[in-house]
Each structure stands twice: as C-alpha cells, then as structure tokens.
C-alpha cells in the first residue's frame, strides 16, 4: 500500500485545499491517472497516481486544508479486481469483532497526519500560527482572525492579548422570543439568499488587496492619452502584421513597450522595499492582469525589454489562454517587477488600481472614448482618448517622479514610432 501525499509546490506555497477528488474509494486507477485537484493560493494542481492500483481510503475530504508532505489518501498496489474485494473482508471482520463485548474497546488507528490539538480544531490555522499559539499557551478559538474566511495566521496570534474575554453580562429586560408560528391571518416571508464559500484563490486575493492598502503608502496620479497615432498605426499595419506573425497587433504591446521605456528613466518604480532597503531591479518582467473564472491573476511577460511587438503579443495571448483554462504554472506568476491592468476591456472609464505587492507601481488602462480636444486656440476635434492611472508606493516614490513617469508613458504612446527607439 502506498500513501498519496501533497507534493512540494514552490517556495511560497506551504499548503492548499482539496478542491475535488476525481475518483472514489474502491475505484481502480492506472499510473498517471489524475486522483484529485488541489487548489492553492495561486494555481490549481492535479495530483496523479504514482502507480496502478485501487484507491483504498480518502483521508482528507474536499474543502479541507492540507499541508505539504501530508498524507491525504492511500492506494493499494495491483489490479482493481484482486485488491478491492479482499480489503472489505478484514474490515467486516473487524466490525464484527468490535460489536462483541470486550473488557476494552479497540482503539481506532490514528490518521497518518498528526491530528491538531483540541485548541486548534475549532479554527483553521496556518502551521506557524499553531506553533506560536502552543508556545504562548493561547487557545486558537479565542484569537481574532483578519482573514476573510476566518483562517488564523501568525500575525493574528502575535496581536492576541493572551487574556480570556470577560463574560458578557446577561441583557436586562430581555424581550420575549418571537412566537414559533405566525398568528392566524398573518403571513411570513423569508427573503432568499445563497451563501457561497470563497475559493482559496478569491480569499487570497481579498487578503492581499487589503494588505496592500494597509502596508503601502499608496497614491494614484492620472493623465490621458490621445490614441489617434496608435490607432492609425494599427489600422495601416494590422493586416501585414498578422500575416507575418500570425497574431493580432493589439494595444498591450504598445503599452508594455511604453512602460519599459518609462521604467528605464525612473528605476525606482521598478523596485521593491525589503525592510529598510530598496531593491532596484535591472530587469523588466511585466505582469499583465488577466480576469479568470476564479478571480484576477497576474501572469508575467519575462524580459519584456528584449521582446518585439509580436513576441509580446504572443506571450500575452498564451498567458491569457492558460489563465482562462486554469493551466498556469507557478513559474508563470512569480517575480513580476511592474503590473499593467486593463479595466477598459470591461468598459471602465476611470479607476484607481491597487498595488500588486511587493511591487511599488501599477498602471491602469481604461476605455477609449471619443472626446472633444482643443487642438489649438481656434480648433476642436473629437479624438479617441484614454485615461491612464499610476498607483504607486509613496514610501519610495515621490509624487513628482510618479507624475513624470506617467507623462513619459503618455508621450511614448502618442508617438508610437519612438517606441522602437526608446523601448
């Protein structure tokens, strides 16, 4: 019999949630068959059978949180016909034996994974939180969690005052309970609701967005771009571009090139904060926010400064396809230095994007809309205009630097030929 264990999934991932089992207890599986899907903070991972046999037991059920290396099921080696039936006979005999009176009842076998102490059982907690709580003698039931789904983390334990709350005094003149049945002639109506548990990824997104607002000194500056020149280039070049490169010439390659050009002029915006140090990154891995079924993900276009327009468009199209089919790898999501998000695809006219920490800058694109623009003192024209927004961490980026960065992006986009030189 072999154990089905949670595999290592990258340095930043220590646990996951059993999303769904693809097979049931007693099912025969072949080597390589997918046994279950594990949901992590970033991607979903399929766990396959390392050998052929029968799924003997499912130890951790769907929706349960599991840690790296934990045993979540057992698999018996051999064919399904030979191992499935005999396994039930000892179990039946064991049940019969347990039913017979005996001086001492047999103790059921302990699960392979160590069971948490009683103080840990009422709430789900990270391994580091459990350890710290045990060291400080704190009951996890008493710890207030900041997590949207109630999971306790190490910081929650640290902030706990280690004192049991005083019992609440009973309310005076408590109103009598409502009658269990409505009075004659009256009617009751309960408004319909549906309660859904957050997916692990959605809960992680929620937590990180709140953390970004709580930890960074985030400000946003705005500008607008006249998209006339880019739209003219696309109109003239799109057919030849697609014929040559087999990919459409979209807006994202222009914006990626413009962002890289601006980051080279303002390197602090391509940095991150590490304690009291500023880590300036000399490479340009640009995250592109993509809306997937379970929430926003930010796959990364690597070394964008070394890529041409066609290579950028192909990379973005490939990453977006993976995001929507839930096949992104961890390597696709790690290590971005700056992020671009396009709310304009959904019709957003103006917004303030939230930082994708630990990055210190994010550019928001918006809907292209015809607006009257003053060409000079005498003329007005309707031009395709787009508002752009830069959210930045004011701890290391000054307001003037942020404004000049955004002006640089604007100037490069309004003169797209310069992107071949400046990019």
């Amino acid at each position: 019999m072999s154990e089905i264990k949670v595999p290592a999934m990258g340095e930043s991932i220590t646990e996951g949630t059993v999303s769904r089992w693809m097979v049931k207890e007693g099912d025969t599986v072949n080597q390589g068959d997918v046994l279950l899907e594990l949901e992590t903070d970033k991607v979903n991972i399929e766990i396959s059978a390392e050998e052929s046999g029968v799924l003997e037991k499912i130890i951790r059920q769907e929706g349960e949180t599991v840690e790296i290396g934990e045993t979540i099921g057992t698999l018996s080696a051999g064919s399904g016909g030979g191992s499935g039936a005999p396994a039930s006979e000892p179990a039946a005999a064991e049940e019969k034996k347990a039913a017979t009176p005996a001086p001492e009842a047999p103790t059921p076998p302990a699960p392979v994974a160590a069971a948490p102490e009683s103080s840990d059982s009422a709430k789900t907690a990270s391994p580091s939180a459990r350890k710290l709580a045990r060291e400080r003698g704190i009951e996890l039931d008493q710890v207030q969690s900041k997590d949207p789904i109630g999971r306790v983390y190490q910081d929650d334990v640290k902030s706990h005052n280690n004192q049991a709350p005083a019992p609440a005094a009973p309310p005076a003149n408590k109103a009598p309970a409502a009658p269990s049945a409505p009075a004659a002639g009256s009617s009751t109506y309960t408004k319909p609701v549906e309660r859904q548990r957050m997916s692990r990824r959605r809960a992680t997104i929620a937590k990180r967005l709140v953390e970004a607002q709580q930890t960074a000194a985030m400000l946003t500056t705005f500008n607008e771009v006249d998209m006339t020149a880019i739209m003219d280039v696309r109109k003239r070049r799109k057919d030849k571009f697609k014929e040559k490169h087999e990919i459409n010439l979209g807006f994202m390659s222009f914006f990626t090139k413009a962002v890289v050009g601006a980051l080279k002029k303002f390197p602090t915006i391509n940095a991150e904060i590490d304690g009291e140090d500023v880590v300036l990154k000399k490479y340009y891995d640009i995250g592109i926010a993509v809306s997937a079924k379970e929430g926003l993900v930010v796959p990364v276009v690597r070394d964008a400064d070394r890529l041409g327009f066609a290579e950028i468009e192909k990379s973005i199209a490939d990453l977006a396809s993976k995001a929507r089919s839930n096949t992104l790898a961890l390597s696709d999501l790690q290590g971005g230095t700056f992020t671009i998000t396009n709310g304009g695809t959904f019709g957003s006219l103006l917004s303030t994007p939230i930082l994708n920490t630990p990055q210190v800058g994010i550019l928001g694109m918006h809907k292209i809309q015809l607006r009257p623009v003053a060409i000079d003192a005498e003329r007005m024209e309707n031009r395709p205009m787009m508002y752009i927004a830069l959210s930045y961490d004011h701890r290391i980026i000054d307001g003037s630097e942020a404004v000049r960065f955004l002006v640089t992006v604007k100037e490069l986009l309004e003169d797209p030929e310069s992107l071949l030189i400046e990019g």
Side-chain angles (χ1 to χ4, degrees):
M1 182 180 295
S2 61
E3 297 177 340
I4 304 167
K5 293 180 178 289
V6 179
M9 297 175 286
E11 294 181 2
S12 62
I13 297 180
T14 60
E15 59 188 18
T17 301
V18 178
S19 177
R20 56 174 175 159
W21 281 91
M22 307 297 188
V23 292
K24 303 186 296 294
E25 290 184 355
D27 284 356
T28 301
V29 297
N30 296 317
Q31 184 179 10
D33 285 353
V34 177
L35 299 176
L36 71 150
E37 186 178 77
L38 199 67
E39 183 183 9
T40 72
D41 296 348
K42 297 180 178 179
V43 295
N44 286 14
I45 296 174
E46 294 179 341
I47 298 180
S48 303
E50 296 183 355
E51 59 181 308
S52 299
V54 174
L55 182 62
E56 291 286 352
K57 186 175 182 180
I58 293 176
I59 297 175
R60 302 307 295 269
Q61 303 298 322
E62 294 180 2
E64 291 192 67
T65 299
V66 294
E67 299 172 11
I68 303 302
E70 182 176 345
T71 300
I72 54 178
T74 57
L75 186 71
S76 67
S79 62
S83 62
S88 62
E89 293 176 8
E94 200 63 33
E95 288 180 8
K96 185 175 180 181
K97 181 179 178 181
T100 305
E104 186 176 352
T107 302
V112 178
E117 298 175 7
S118 59
S119 61
D120 294 2
S121 60
K123 281 192 176 182
T124 306
S126 68
S128 57
R130 291 196 191 102
K131 180 180 177 183
L132 184 61
R134 284 194 294 269
E135 291 174 352
R136 297 190 177 185
I138 297 174
E139 293 288 341
L140 287 178
D141 288 346
Q142 306 300 323
V143 177
Q144 295 294 323
S145 172
K146 299 175 183 177
D147 188 63
I149 60 174
R151 184 174 180 77
V152 176
Y153 289 89
Q154 190 177 40
D155 289 342
D156 299 323
V157 179
K158 288 180 179 178
S159 62
H160 183 66
N161 60 12
N162 202 14
Q163 294 180 357
N173 300 326
K174 184 177 179 181
S180 58
S186 65
S187 62
T188 58
Y189 173 70
T190 303
K191 293 185 178 180
V193 296
E194 180 181 353
R195 184 182 295 273
Q196 295 181 346
R197 185 178 180 85
M198 281 188 184
S199 68
R200 186 179 189 88
R201 192 176 306 165
R202 172 55 65 185
T204 301
I205 291 171
K207 181 183 177 184
R208 288 188 174 180
L209 292 178
V210 172
E211 285 179 349
Q213 290 182 312
Q214 291 177 340
T215 59
M218 192 171 69
L219 292 179
T220 304
T221 185
F222 302 92
N223 213 312
E224 61 179 353
V225 177
D226 185 343
M227 299 291 288
T228 302
I230 288 180
M231 295 182 78
D232 179 61
V233 169
R234 290 182 71 232
K235 183 178 180 179
R236 290 186 289 106
R237 300 284 186 178
K238 65 178 182 179
D239 292 337
K240 288 184 178 179
F241 187 88
K242 186 171 184 178
E243 181 181 346
K244 180 177 181 180
H245 301 291
E246 299 182 343
I247 189 75
N248 289 323
L249 178 59
F251 292 112
M252 291 306 301
S253 52
F254 289 94
F255 275 82
T256 302
K257 282 284 189 181
V259 160
V260 169
L263 288 174
K264 288 181 177 180
K265 289 186 177 181
F266 301 94
T268 307
I269 302 177
N270 197 50
E272 70 175 70
I273 300 173
D274 183 14
E276 295 184 356
D277 296 334
V278 176
V279 181
L280 297 171
K281 298 175 182 178
K282 304 296 185 180
Y283 57 94
Y284 305 90
D285 288 351
I286 307 301
I288 306 295
V290 177
S291 179
K293 181 180 179 181
E294 294 187 357
L296 197 71
V297 291
V298 188
V300 178
V301 176
R302 305 289 175 189
D303 299 316
D305 58 317
R306 302 179 185 180
L307 303 181
F309 280 78
E311 293 171 308
I312 292 173
E313 293 290 352
K314 287 179 180 178
S315 295
I316 293 173
D318 179 57
L319 292 170
S321 176
K322 285 183 178 180
R324 294 181 180 115
S325 62
N326 202 25
T327 56
L328 283 170
L330 285 174
S331 57
D332 294 325
L333 299 166
Q334 295 174 333
T337 62
F338 186 92
T339 293
I340 303 174
T341 180
N342 186 5
T345 57
F346 305 105
S348 172
L349 186 62
L350 189 63
S351 66
T352 56
I354 298 178
L355 290 173
N356 182 23
T357 54
Q359 297 170 24
V360 295
I362 180 171
L363 180 76
M365 301 166 55
H366 299 92
K367 178 182 178 181
I368 299 173
Q369 190 173 60
L370 282 175
R371 291 199 292 274
V373 176
I375 304 303
D376 53 38
E378 303 295 332
R379 294 179 301 149
M380 295 281 291
E381 287 186 10
N382 287 332
R383 293 290 184 94
M385 305 297 293
M386 177 193 287
Y387 290 119
I388 56 176
L390 173 72
S391 291
Y392 60 98
D393 194 336
H394 205 8
R395 291 180 295 173
I396 62 170
I397 301 170
D398 292 331
S400 62
E401 188 176 16
V403 170
R404 286 182 290 140
F405 172 90
L406 203 58
V407 168
T408 301
V409 171
K410 168 187 168 68
E411 291 172 347
L412 291 172
L413 290 170
E414 292 182 342
D415 182 16
E417 293 178 359
S418 66
L419 294 175
L420 298 174
I421 301 172
E422 299 291 343

